[in-house]
Amino acid sequence: MEQRQLGNGGPSVSVIGLGCNNFSRTGRATETLEGTKAVLDAALDAGITLLDTADMYGSPATGSESLMGEALRGRREQVVLATKFGHVDYPIPGTEDWGPKGGRNYIRRACEASLARLQTDYLDLYQQHTPDPSVPIEETLGALGELVDEGKVRFIGHSNFDAAQAEAADAAAARLGGHRFVSAQNELSPLARAVESDLMPTLRRIGVGLLPYFPLANGLLTGKYARDHRPEGTRIVNDKPGLLEGVDWDQLAAYQAICDAAGAPMSQVTFAWLLTRPGLVSVIAGATSPGQVIENAAAASVRLPGDLVAAIDELFTVG
């Protein structure tokens, strides 16, 4: 599978990554170690190297990291292992006395906990899950820099930062002469393109690579849904039925026609379109079965002609 470098000086990663938020989640096929291992096996066999998780993922929280630690035994070196810490809206049990989530004490303790669950002595990419407005970014960067210098973390990234926060963090790292963020995770899909107008140009200028989340808009862009077809048992119908209320079904039908012209499933066309966005490095996609992994990975080989890329750009505007 094609590899791209993550930001200035970051690791090389596969253009399709695996989102690991479904591991250990109740009601998913990946709730068990067996199901998790089956998905990871398929990902590695397909050439996927980037695995992205977080301490808050799973049922209960931390479950994803724990299952991954078991499932990756003996093949840790085959992957670029990324995790996240410090989502300000999701407390992790046992962390109540660690202080603010962007602070040095929290970061160091969270990192040690993730290393233990993942059964590894280093993380390839350690990402701040959300900004912490209560802590100066200089303190956060200093703590993360210590982890890099100690060999516990190779590279650092952030998630859910806006353009101003990303630029401020890069300027602070330059002033400190320390380690800089190489990656950013933010929402991007044909249905959510706001980051293309402000954040992405900033990221390209400062040398930070983008890893989009919700690339399929929670599954809406899988081709499963239409005005008169809302399959039972799917993620949206089960967990987020409100997302179907505001859908422009005519727009989605027009997109299906573009995908038909491309000769590929909607999910693969969506991934291929995302990979044409300047500065985007890898599309992280969740999966609960080996079949989903194989279909997602196949998107790395889809090449959209310029007229279809332009048609998608016109159908789903940035504004």
Side-chain angles (χ1 to χ4, degrees), residues 175-187:
R175 288 195 306 273
L176 294 170
H179 298 281
R180 303 167 89 150
F181 290 121
V182 301
S183 67
Q185 280 202 42
N186 293 80
E187 183 175 5

PDB file of all heavy atoms in Angstrom, residues 175-187:
ATOM      1  N   ARG A 175       9.642  28.549  19.730  1.00  0.00           N
ATOM      2  CA  ARG A 175      10.240  29.383  20.784  1.00  0.00           C
ATOM      3  C   ARG A 175      10.988  28.529  21.800  1.00  0.00           C
ATOM      4  O   ARG A 175      12.067  28.899  22.269  1.00  0.00           O
ATOM      5  CB  ARG A 175       9.160  30.195  21.504  1.00  0.00           C
ATOM      6  CG  ARG A 175       8.570  31.333  20.708  1.00  0.00           C
ATOM      7  CD  ARG A 175       7.793  32.284  21.615  1.00  0.00           C
ATOM      8  NE  ARG A 175       6.770  31.607  22.410  1.00  0.00           N
ATOM      9  CZ  ARG A 175       5.535  31.378  22.008  1.00  0.00           C
ATOM     10  NH1 ARG A 175       5.153  31.770  20.787  1.00  0.00           N
ATOM     11  NH2 ARG A 175       4.660  30.779  22.794  1.00  0.00           N
ATOM     12  N   LEU A 176      10.400  27.394  22.150  1.00  0.00           N
ATOM     13  CA  LEU A 176      11.008  26.523  23.148  1.00  0.00           C
ATOM     14  C   LEU A 176      12.180  25.730  22.587  1.00  0.00           C
ATOM     15  O   LEU A 176      12.995  25.189  23.351  1.00  0.00           O
ATOM     16  CB  LEU A 176       9.951  25.535  23.678  1.00  0.00           C
ATOM     17  CG  LEU A 176       8.778  26.127  24.474  1.00  0.00           C
ATOM     18  CD1 LEU A 176       7.720  25.064  24.718  1.00  0.00           C
ATOM     19  CD2 LEU A 176       9.281  26.705  25.789  1.00  0.00           C
ATOM     20  N   GLY A 177      12.262  25.660  21.270  1.00  0.00           N
ATOM     21  CA  GLY A 177      13.307  24.849  20.656  1.00  0.00           C
ATOM     22  C   GLY A 177      13.085  23.363  20.888  1.00  0.00           C
ATOM     23  O   GLY A 177      14.032  22.574  20.899  1.00  0.00           O
ATOM     24  N   GLY A 178      11.814  22.990  21.072  1.00  0.00           N
ATOM     25  CA  GLY A 178      11.498  21.596  21.391  1.00  0.00           C
ATOM     26  C   GLY A 178      10.825  20.866  20.248  1.00  0.00           C
ATOM     27  O   GLY A 178      10.877  21.292  19.089  1.00  0.00           O
ATOM     28  N   HIS A 179      10.208  19.767  20.600  1.00  0.00           N
ATOM     29  CA  HIS A 179       9.570  18.914  19.594  1.00  0.00           C
ATOM     30  C   HIS A 179       8.241  19.523  19.147  1.00  0.00           C
ATOM     31  O   HIS A 179       7.469  20.033  19.953  1.00  0.00           O
ATOM     32  CB  HIS A 179       9.351  17.516  20.166  1.00  0.00           C
ATOM     33  CG  HIS A 179      10.623  16.829  20.533  1.00  0.00           C
ATOM     34  ND1 HIS A 179      11.439  16.214  19.607  1.00  0.00           N
ATOM     35  CD2 HIS A 179      11.239  16.688  21.745  1.00  0.00           C
ATOM     36  CE1 HIS A 179      12.491  15.707  20.218  1.00  0.00           C
ATOM     37  NE2 HIS A 179      12.402  15.977  21.515  1.00  0.00           N
ATOM     38  N   ARG A 180       7.969  19.414  17.850  1.00  0.00           N
ATOM     39  CA  ARG A 180       6.770  20.018  17.277  1.00  0.00           C
ATOM     40  C   ARG A 180       5.758  18.935  16.942  1.00  0.00           C
ATOM     41  O   ARG A 180       6.093  17.783  16.676  1.00  0.00           O
ATOM     42  CB  ARG A 180       7.143  20.801  16.017  1.00  0.00           C
ATOM     43  CG  ARG A 180       8.196  21.870  16.276  1.00  0.00           C
ATOM     44  CD  ARG A 180       8.793  22.418  15.003  1.00  0.00           C
ATOM     45  NE  ARG A 180       8.037  23.564  14.488  1.00  0.00           N
ATOM     46  CZ  ARG A 180       8.588  24.545  13.791  1.00  0.00           C
ATOM     47  NH1 ARG A 180       9.878  24.534  13.513  1.00  0.00           N
ATOM     48  NH2 ARG A 180       7.846  25.528  13.350  1.00  0.00           N
ATOM     49  N   PHE A 181       4.499  19.332  16.939  1.00  0.00           N
ATOM     50  CA  PHE A 181       3.451  18.431  16.485  1.00  0.00           C
ATOM     51  C   PHE A 181       3.652  18.127  14.998  1.00  0.00           C
ATOM     52  O   PHE A 181       3.925  19.032  14.206  1.00  0.00           O
ATOM     53  CB  PHE A 181       2.078  19.068  16.684  1.00  0.00           C
ATOM     54  CG  PHE A 181       1.638  19.198  18.117  1.00  0.00           C
ATOM     55  CD1 PHE A 181       1.342  20.438  18.658  1.00  0.00           C
ATOM     56  CD2 PHE A 181       1.499  18.079  18.922  1.00  0.00           C
ATOM     57  CE1 PHE A 181       0.910  20.566  19.974  1.00  0.00           C
ATOM     58  CE2 PHE A 181       1.072  18.187  20.239  1.00  0.00           C
ATOM     59  CZ  PHE A 181       0.781  19.429  20.768  1.00  0.00           C
ATOM     60  N   VAL A 182       3.495  16.855  14.624  1.00  0.00           N
ATOM     61  CA  VAL A 182       3.616  16.479  13.211  1.00  0.00           C
ATOM     62  C   VAL A 182       2.273  16.126  12.597  1.00  0.00           C
ATOM     63  O   VAL A 182       2.175  15.979  11.381  1.00  0.00           O
ATOM     64  CB  VAL A 182       4.595  15.299  13.008  1.00  0.00           C
ATOM     65  CG1 VAL A 182       5.976  15.641  13.530  1.00  0.00           C
ATOM     66  CG2 VAL A 182       4.062  14.011  13.657  1.00  0.00           C
ATOM     67  N   SER A 183       1.224  15.968  13.442  1.00  0.00           N
ATOM     68  CA  SER A 183      -0.060  15.518  12.913  1.00  0.00           C
ATOM     69  C   SER A 183      -1.211  16.243  13.575  1.00  0.00           C
ATOM     70  O   SER A 183      -1.093  16.767  14.689  1.00  0.00           O
ATOM     71  CB  SER A 183      -0.226  14.005  13.132  1.00  0.00           C
ATOM     72  OG  SER A 183      -0.340  13.712  14.519  1.00  0.00           O
ATOM     73  N   ALA A 184      -2.341  16.248  12.868  1.00  0.00           N
ATOM     74  CA  ALA A 184      -3.587  16.810  13.381  1.00  0.00           C
ATOM     75  C   ALA A 184      -4.721  15.871  12.995  1.00  0.00           C
ATOM     76  O   ALA A 184      -4.756  15.363  11.872  1.00  0.00           O
ATOM     77  CB  ALA A 184      -3.844  18.194  12.805  1.00  0.00           C
ATOM     78  N   GLN A 185      -5.638  15.632  13.930  1.00  0.00           N
ATOM     79  CA  GLN A 185      -6.859  14.900  13.608  1.00  0.00           C
ATOM     80  C   GLN A 185      -8.042  15.843  13.746  1.00  0.00           C
ATOM     81  O   GLN A 185      -8.249  16.441  14.805  1.00  0.00           O
ATOM     82  CB  GLN A 185      -7.049  13.701  14.544  1.00  0.00           C
ATOM     83  CG  GLN A 185      -6.220  12.498  14.162  1.00  0.00           C
ATOM     84  CD  GLN A 185      -6.776  11.193  14.716  1.00  0.00           C
ATOM     85  OE1 GLN A 185      -7.988  10.969  14.697  1.00  0.00           O
ATOM     86  NE2 GLN A 185      -5.896  10.335  15.176  1.00  0.00           N
ATOM     87  N   ASN A 186      -8.794  15.964  12.661  1.00  0.00           N
ATOM     88  CA  ASN A 186      -9.999  16.797  12.636  1.00  0.00           C
ATOM     89  C   ASN A 186     -11.009  16.161  11.703  1.00  0.00           C
ATOM     90  O   ASN A 186     -10.651  15.387  10.812  1.00  0.00           O
ATOM     91  CB  ASN A 186      -9.676  18.216  12.158  1.00  0.00           C
ATOM     92  CG  ASN A 186      -8.803  18.981  13.127  1.00  0.00           C
ATOM     93  OD1 ASN A 186      -7.586  18.795  13.151  1.00  0.00           O
ATOM     94  ND2 ASN A 186      -9.411  19.837  13.928  1.00  0.00           N
ATOM     95  N   GLU A 187     -12.265  16.510  11.897  1.00  0.00           N
ATOM     96  CA  GLU A 187     -13.306  15.938  11.056  1.00  0.00           C
ATOM     97  C   GLU A 187     -13.202  16.466   9.626  1.00  0.00           C
ATOM     98  O   GLU A 187     -13.069  17.659   9.391  1.00  0.00           O
ATOM     99  CB  GLU A 187     -14.691  16.259  11.610  1.00  0.00           C
ATOM    100  CG  GLU A 187     -15.815  15.628  10.798  1.00  0.00           C
ATOM    101  CD  GLU A 187     -17.191  15.823  11.400  1.00  0.00           C
ATOM    102  OE1 GLU A 187     -17.296  16.540  12.409  1.00  0.00           O
ATOM    103  OE2 GLU A 187     -18.157  15.254  10.847  1.00  0.00           O
TER     104      GLU A 187
END
